Amino acid sequence: MRYKQLTGYQDVMSYQLQENGLKLLLVPNPLAPVVGCQITYHVGSRNEAIGYTGATHLLEHLMFKGSKQYNKSLGNSIDTLENFGGVLNATTWNDRTNYYAVVPKNKLDLSLAMEADRMRNAFIDESDRQAEMTVVRNEFDRGENDAISALHKNIWATAYQAHPYHHDTIGWLSDIENVSIERLKAFYDTFYWPNNATLSIFGDFDQENVLDLVWQHFGGIPASPNTMPKMYTKEPHQEGMRRFEVKRQENVAWVGVAHKVPEASHPDHLPLQLLDRLLGHGRCSRLYRGLIDKGFANRIYVDVHPFKDPGLFITYVMCSDQVDHHQIEKLILDQYDDVIKNGVTADEIARSKHQLKAEKAFLNDGMHGLMSAVNEGISIGDWAYYLDYANRLEAVSAEDIQRVAGKYFLQDQMTVGHYMPRKMEAVV
Amino acid sequence: MIKVQSSEHAAYQLHMAKTAHKDIVTLVGSRRIPWQDKFPCDDVIFDIYAMMLDRGTKQASKIEIADKLESMGASMNFSMQSRFLIWQVSCLSEDFPAVMQLMRDILLDAVFPDEELQLLKGQLAAQVKEAMTDTEVQADIAIAQQMYDKDHPHYQPSSVDELKQIKALSVADLKMFHERVNAMAPLTCVIVGDMTLTNCESIFADLGFGAQAVQSQDAETVKVKKVNTERKAIKLNDKPSITCVWAYALPFDLASDWFMPTKMAVDILGGGGFSGRLMKTVRDESGLTYRIGSNVRDIEMGFEGYWQMYASFGLNELNEGIKQTEYQQSHWFREGVSDDELSLRKQSLLGQQALSWTKTSAIARSLMYGLMNGYGPNYLEVYPELVKSVQLDDVNKAIKAWGIPDNAFSVFAGSLPDNF
């Protein structure tokens, strides 16, 4: 038996290669003769430490520089998939790194062959590191051009001190510039193995054919010789509110308010996600009506993304000219207090749940949304998380939301950031 | 091939593509706007009109509209695209009739409440102020002002002028504009997903669009200006990534025989994801930038536009990045492109079209593009023929005609060195 069959979800089949532990998900979505091929490695910026922050992301870039069988000198590097209309890329985040390609179905074999080859045979070469370091440095600089990105980076760096969520996925600039090729190679040799990855195939495919192809390309790769290192650092308990300011020459002011929340697998996370929707998504949401509709704010983002380890519930608000940072901060916290004291209404819950029903139907519209949903589920150790999302949130009650608001919106667990404009005009 | 069925009525045209998607529908709608007429605050009135439409109707307030849409998990967004008001609606098939009723009320019975206009003005003013320190927006404005006179729909005012016009715009201006829009040509709606044309016709028949008087605006092609071949520096503090753009006027519209060969030439230079020449050389080989490419901009039926190369460079890589980008452009101009490159690009574009058929909004937008630009409802079939018909000689002639390196208007925005 090549594969061990694991528990699926609806029409999604789940397998594991017996030889090397690679997990495989088959997600049919036969809308057109198109397939998506995605591999998710269980390594992200949470696996980094001082000196090599950003290594996961830099390594992701180096993975496009060629492998033994597919490279520029052979004229068949991975970007040649674009010659058939393919869309390919990769992303790195806190808990995972994923590589994906959406291609015509007759290119699935090629796409799998390329992905399999770079799993263990990527070049990871010093000359490539030098060239790609400056590419990533420009990516870092582009983030520095953006106010919300600067505020976001500082919120996490202030709220988390010991845990690696402290640093942004792109890393600190000096680490990007100085990390050695030996360190990156060691990172690759530690984490890029079949037993630390999940391969998922989407779209219009024949299941038996895919099982054969995956065996053919990945079956011969051995499992890692060593066990995967555990990331054991835990964030110490926060003992009081933290504040910071970022001052740059911008014309607009932002406030960010963040509270510590638990990890994705904690039962309180789903009520927090529903609360995020009620507070900040759409014109009927509480923050929109309380801040934007009253002219106090120009833009709002609320975010409580579920991560493998405890994370943050964050509200970002762009202040209008009518208010200062402290007033906006109070207005945000007043909205939180209202939920703690008075709860949420049945209408608000019903509206969100109907939105979820529509979102579930639209998940199958195109390939990228579905691929991203499965990828983010894999990253928190539960690949069906977003496929079953509407059902899971269906079970959340108004009482649950009020309870988690009271439990997590605590002043001592709060981090507040003010993005301060130093007035300027463009000099042409 | 996706099959499109169409039906024409006095006040609207329907084009329906039933696909394998289950339980969902995407609609992309368009109607002509009186873009040639003179209106107060004419650099901002078009966009603000689109943004104000769903902020109150004779039947419902902004919040009531939002509540209805959000309670169905539906979305409806309005925007302006040169000669057209465009909107996109996504919803469950079961909610389509109710969502269409909202769409009808918004399009015909918007009331433009003053308190909503004041709120929106505050938000837009903040957006413009934010954009004053955005390197990419400032580069875009500089190019639009260089390329176009005020009568071109893609002209952009300076941020200061834009703020003045936002402040001056009134509800009366919007209502006058609305009257003119409602007297224009019929609506065009493309519907893609789990729905049939018969269902759509029945739903639309009940909406009461009526038989509208139709006025059309035929016009001569709006041209690009003769461009000054200057180099413009926009110095902004705290912007370590410098936006660099080289823009070249293209004095023809979409109907011209120049269009497809030029688009293909520019695509080979810097289109696609990782496989354009600029990406392969300036980024992959030399590591000088995260983002680089080239594309054709603003050309439509009746509107001339330009093509551009764009890149972002950090201060350490700025001079070498500019040098290598300009070298690649000169090389492309001198040597042209090869038959292999053209064949691969054609194959890539045809593959991209096939890939886009998994998504209702991509199909709907492509069909609407064809309708807006005179290709008719068979654009999905016409497009592959357009791509296949491009000849290598024509591509290389286009490069010689429109890619002359010295004809660039270039803009550099960010924390530039003092001696730049």
Side-chain angles (χ1 to χ4, degrees), chain A residues 44-193:
Chain A
S45 49
R46 76 189 280 279
N47 301 96
E48 301 164 349
I50 295 297
Y52 59 103
T53 64
T56 322
H57 174 250
L58 188 48
L59 182 58
E60 174 222 297
H61 277 243
L62 292 182
M63 292 288 285
F64 285 85
K65 298 305 234 180
S67 57
K68 196 171 169 185
Q69 303 291 335
Y70 297 95
N71 55 62
K72 275 180 202 158
S73 59
L74 293 173
N76 62 359
S77 53
I78 198 157
D79 58 78
T80 55
L81 288 174
E82 290 183 349
N83 294 337
F84 310 103
V87 175
L88 65 149
N89 215 326
T91 71
T92 307
W93 207 3
N94 288 349
D95 302 327
R96 52 74 184 160
T97 310
N98 71 311
Y99 300 82
Y100 64 87
V102 178
V103 293
K105 69 184 285 190
N106 62 1
K107 297 298 167 198
L108 176 61
D109 186 8
L110 178 61
S111 182
L112 286 169
M114 289 172 161
E115 210 53 80
D117 194 44
R118 67 176 168 176
M119 178 180 271
R120 291 302 324 138
N121 296 321
F123 290 152
I124 321 291
D125 185 75
E126 170 59 12
S127 61
D128 288 334
R129 185 202 67 81
Q130 288 173 16
E132 214 56 27
M133 180 277 283
T134 44
V135 171
V136 173
R137 187 163 67 190
N138 185 232
E139 189 178 357
F140 177 94
D141 284 345
R142 289 173 59 80
E144 291 296 301
N145 274 19
D146 178 56
I148 194 83
S149 165
L151 187 57
H152 188 73
K153 191 182 291 189
N154 279 283
I155 282 254
W156 283 90
T158 307
Y160 280 84
Q161 296 181 333
H163 188 282
Y165 289 169
H166 169 79
H167 67 268
D168 199 41
T169 297
I170 201 163
W172 301 114
L173 181 59
S174 47
D175 287 356
I176 296 168
E177 290 175 328
N178 292 299
V179 67
S180 68
I181 192 66
E182 290 77 20
R183 174 80 84 169
L184 295 173
K185 189 82 169 66
F187 213 71
Y188 175 70
D189 286 338
T190 301
F191 293 107
Y192 279 66
W193 295 93

Side-chain angles (χ1 to χ4, degrees), chain A residues 166-380:
Chain A
H166 169 79
H167 67 268
D168 199 41
T169 297
I170 201 163
W172 301 114
L173 181 59
S174 47
D175 287 356
I176 296 168
E177 290 175 328
N178 292 299
V179 67
S180 68
I181 192 66
E182 290 77 20
R183 174 80 84 169
L184 295 173
K185 189 82 169 66
F187 213 71
Y188 175 70
D189 286 338
T190 301
F191 293 107
Y192 279 66
W193 295 93
N195 52 314
N196 195 40
T198 302
L199 176 67
S200 38
I201 311 294
F202 303 78
D204 181 15
F205 54 79
D206 173 77
Q207 185 177 316
E208 290 307 313
N209 181 41
V210 170
L211 290 173
D212 282 346
L213 288 174
V214 171
W215 167 255
Q216 183 188 322
H217 294 300
F218 288 89
I221 304 174
S224 62
N226 302 309
T227 48
M228 290 297 145
K230 296 283 180 216
M231 201 297 289
Y232 46 76
T233 305
K234 292 201 184 315
E235 182 65 19
H237 182 66
Q238 185 171 332
E239 297 174 307
M241 182 172 48
R242 295 174 188 161
R243 287 187 170 278
F244 68 89
E245 290 179 352
V246 180
K247 291 183 179 174
R248 290 192 188 167
Q249 292 207 329
E250 295 279 354
N251 292 324
V252 292
W254 286 87
V255 171
V257 174
H259 289 85
K260 293 267 174 62
V261 293
E263 64 280 7
S265 59
H266 193 287
D268 285 348
H269 212 286
L270 286 166
L272 286 163
Q273 289 176 55
L274 203 51
L275 175 57
D276 161 348
R277 288 166 170 266
L278 304 187
L279 281 172
H281 291 239
R283 285 178 175 171
C284 295
S285 66
R286 290 181 171 218
L287 287 165
Y288 188 96
R289 297 192 69 171
L291 274 70
I292 289 185
D293 264 354
K294 292 189 172 145
F296 300 134
N298 294 314
R299 213 178 301 157
I300 287 170
Y301 302 113
V302 183
D303 177 41
V304 62
H305 190 87
F307 291 114
K308 202 166 192 164
D309 297 325
L312 290 173
F313 189 112
I314 315 175
T315 294
Y316 293 114
V317 175
M318 186 204 277
C319 310
S320 78
D321 291 340
Q322 296 181 34
V323 287
D324 64 22
H325 291 80
H326 295 284
Q327 288 168 303
I328 280 289
E329 191 182 314
K330 182 173 181 312
L331 287 166
I332 296 168
L333 295 175
D334 285 349
Q335 292 292 335
Y336 288 7
D337 280 344
D338 189 47
V339 176
I340 294 168
K341 286 180 188 142
N342 304 314
V344 297
T345 66
D347 281 353
E348 286 175 293
I349 300 264
R351 187 167 50 233
S352 282
K353 289 184 176 173
H354 204 100
Q355 285 171 0
L356 286 161
K357 184 182 169 192
E359 283 173 23
K360 185 179 179 186
F362 272 95
L363 201 55
N364 290 313
D365 188 18
M367 303 294 282
H368 292 281
L370 193 57
M371 291 172 78
S372 172
V374 170
N375 182 50
E376 297 309 334
I378 292 168
S379 80
I380 55 174

Side-chain angles (χ1 to χ4, degrees), chain A residues 65 79 82-83 134 137-138 145 249-251 283 293 298-299 351 354-355 357 365-366 425 427, chain B residues 62 67 70 129-130 132-133 235 237-239 241 274-275 284 287 290 312 317 347-348 358 360:
Chain A
K65 298 305 234 180
D79 58 78
E82 290 183 349
N83 294 337
T134 44
R137 187 163 67 190
N138 185 232
N145 274 19
Q249 292 207 329
E250 295 279 354
N251 292 324
R283 285 178 175 171
D293 264 354
N298 294 314
R299 213 178 301 157
R351 187 167 50 233
H354 204 100
Q355 285 171 0
K357 184 182 169 192
D365 188 18
E425 301 295 335
V427 183
Chain B
K62 175 183 82 173
D67 184 37
E70 289 176 22
K129 285 179 191 167
E130 190 183 23
M132 287 166 92
T133 60
K235 295 192 175 181
N237 290 332
D238 295 335
K239 300 294 174 188
S241 179
F274 295 96
S275 49
D284 275 2
Y290 177 72
S312 62
E317 287 78 34
Q347 183 179 278
S348 174
T358 59
T360 54

